[in-house]
Amino acid sequence: MRNLPTVTLERLLLRPFQLHDADSVQQLAGDPYIAEMTLYIPHPYENGMAEEWIHTHHDQYIEGKSVTLAIVHKEESYLMGAITIALHTKFNHGELAYWIGVPFMNNGYCTEAARGMMAYAFDELKLKRVYARHLGKNPASGKVMEKLGMKFEGCLRQHVRKGDAYEDLAYYGLLQEEYLTERRSV
């Protein structure tokens, strides 16, 4: 049986979620700001939701649908957020998604975690393309995508409904050859 990977970075560890992470997930993802700036995280974040979500990760990985990892501080082992690459094997591409808890924002952790997941996507999974999207009202997420070398590919205006409001989705993408060229130049 295959296990979810662990990715070691400079300050962070991307590792499989464990059930003991559920309280931290509920606390961090339950912040109203996280729900407001992400497409699928609900508010309120009810008891049991984190455990239910964590239970899906292994099967999603085994079925080739996604790789979801905890963003953890490498030295002190506390949970900071989550990062996922949803796999679309028919087209050999993946969608990057992430969130970082409010107490950990503006320290470069999200960018570091996303770089690590992009390396895993291109080097280990051999994906042809990785794309990501963010709500129009969350330009900070777009800045992370730009730091990864992703190119802005367009905006789908009022494409999704979150609560009572229609929201724009901004799309970014990076091709494998662009990733490899960028990596060689560093």
Side-chain angles (χ1 to χ4, degrees):
M1 183 178 282
R2 297 180 347 193
N3 291 320
L4 282 154
T6 297
V7 179
T8 303
L9 305 171
E10 183 180 339
R11 300 177 295 164
L12 305 173
L13 195 62
L14 307 181
R15 62 146 173 88
F17 275 92
Q18 300 160 3
L19 275 181
H20 69 75
D21 295 321
D23 289 343
S24 295
V25 169
Q26 184 173 5
Q27 179 185 0
L28 294 170
D31 187 296
Y33 182 79
I34 299 299
E36 182 182 343
M37 293 299 157
T38 60
L39 187 55
Y40 296 114
I41 295 177
H43 187 77
Y45 201 93
E46 304 287 346
N47 289 337
M49 287 177 145
E51 290 88 349
E52 186 178 316
W53 177 67
I54 290 168
H55 277 299
T56 67
H57 298 169
H58 186 262
D59 288 345
Q60 293 286 313
Y61 177 68
I62 294 300
E63 293 168 11
K65 293 180 179 178
S66 66
V67 179
T68 299
L69 300 173
I71 302 171
V72 176
H73 190 276
K74 190 162 118 180
E75 298 297 319
E76 300 187 30
S77 300
Y78 51 81
L79 181 76
M80 303 167 80
I83 192 157
T84 299
I85 188 94
L87 303 171
H88 307 281
T89 54
K90 180 177 179 180
F91 304 111
N92 197 30
H93 67 237
E95 179 182 2
L96 179 70
Y98 45 79
W99 61 266
I100 195 94
V102 172
F104 310 111
M105 290 180 172
N106 301 314
N107 291 295
Y109 294 128
C110 198
T111 301
E112 183 178 339
R115 275 198 182 105
M117 188 61 102
M118 294 286 279
Y120 179 79
F122 286 121
D123 296 339
E124 302 299 323
L125 299 175
K126 307 295 186 202
L127 296 181
K128 172 67 176 164
R129 167 182 153 74
V130 173
Y131 70 96
R133 58 191 173 162
H134 69 84
L135 294 173
K137 66 182 174 184
N138 187 7
S141 191
K143 295 289 185 202
V144 170
M145 294 168 196
E146 290 170 1
K147 289 176 187 175
L148 299 174
M150 297 180 105
K151 311 286 188 258
F152 178 71
E153 296 181 334
C155 179
L156 300 179
R157 298 174 304 137
Q158 297 185 11
H159 189 67
V160 294
R161 189 164 135 182
K162 184 144 173 109
D164 294 333
Y166 288 91
E167 303 283 350
D168 296 348
L169 281 183
Y171 278 78
Y172 288 76
L174 186 67
L175 301 177
Q176 182 184 51
E177 54 264 25
E178 294 167 335
Y179 167 78
L180 293 172
T181 298
E182 178 73 23
R183 192 170 74 180
R184 280 191 288 262
S185 68
V186 173

